[in-house]
Amino acid sequence: MRVLVIGEYGLIGGYVVSALASAEHEVIGAGRNVRAAARRFPQATWVRADLARFAKGEWAELLVDVDALVNCAGALQDNPIDNLEAVHISGLVILARAAHATKVKRLVHISAAGMQDAPGAFSRTKIAAEMALREEGDRLVHPSVRVSAGAGGFRRQRFASGLAGCTLAIPAVHASSLIQVVGVEDVV
């Protein structure tokens, strides 16, 4: 199967690329920094693409003969490089429409769990993106907090374990929210 992975060199995207390549699928990675990605994941073919800025026609060219599309791209906040509206909503809608127009058989979008209860621009844009994709009948994946041994994951896992064993009071911003930790391998 020929699979295009967007956001392929982030935590989840890297694991997706590795798993697909290990299963002997043809993997095409698309992102803004393909030079760094190609060094990390030489098992994929790399193309430069920007979810926030590509037009439908540019995506259509990349989606020729692609069987599946996995979107792992996302941004945590607006900054000089990332625009939440463009990455999470408008860019994703353009990508999804191009995928449908080019007859991509499956679109999988990695989102985040618990967005309906969280305040802020990140949650608002994630929810809007999901609503747009649901209307198209695409598949959404909602992992919660992800941990892994790589990419600093071991340090985060030890930090979370340390907090769990702490006998002191720990102030929490959203104290009523549950944290559900899942291994990134299970998400993939």
Side-chain angles (χ1 to χ4, degrees):
M1 181 165 41
R2 190 167 196 240
V3 184
L4 177 65
V5 181
I6 312 293
E8 70 298 322
Y9 45 83
L11 175 63
I12 295 174
Y15 277 88
V16 168
V17 167
S18 295
L20 289 168
S22 293
E24 299 185 7
H25 295 290
E26 180 184 352
V27 181
I28 303 160
R32 294 180 298 201
N33 188 355
V34 295
R35 188 177 303 163
R39 284 192 305 270
R40 263 184 81 197
F41 304 103
Q43 66 269 47
T45 301
W46 296 96
V47 294
R48 184 159 168 34
D50 189 338
L51 184 59
R53 291 172 180 80
F54 257 38
K56 185 177 175 184
E58 291 170 293
W59 285 119
E61 289 178 26
L62 290 179
L63 292 167
V64 171
D65 297 325
V66 166
D67 300 301
L69 168 63
V70 181
N71 179 44
C72 303
L76 294 176
Q77 62 188 16
D78 286 319
N79 59 55
I81 297 170
D82 293 317
N83 175 303
L84 291 176
E85 295 277 337
V87 172
H88 293 166
I89 306 171
S90 60
L92 181 59
V93 168
I94 290 168
L95 173 63
R97 288 180 180 159
H100 292 289
T102 56
K103 307 292 188 230
V104 171
K105 294 178 187 89
R106 174 73 61 152
L107 187 156
V108 177
H109 172 66
I110 309 292
S111 189
M115 290 298 101
Q116 66 279 0
D117 298 327
F122 175 82
S123 301
R124 180 183 50 75
T125 57
K126 282 292 200 180
I127 291 168
E130 289 182 18
M131 289 173 55
L133 289 179
R134 276 194 186 98
E135 290 174 11
E136 300 292 331
D138 296 312
R139 184 167 179 194
L140 306 173
V141 178
H142 294 97
S144 186
V145 178
R146 281 110 23 221
V147 295
S148 72
F154 183 70
R155 288 188 303 276
R156 287 189 295 271
Q157 189 172 350
R158 287 191 56 191
F159 176 74
S161 296
L163 283 178
C166 185
T167 58
L168 302 173
I170 300 171
V173 176
H174 301 287
S176 63
S177 298
L178 294 176
I179 295 178
Q180 299 171 332
V181 178
V182 62
V184 71
E185 299 86 354
D186 292 331
V187 173
V188 172

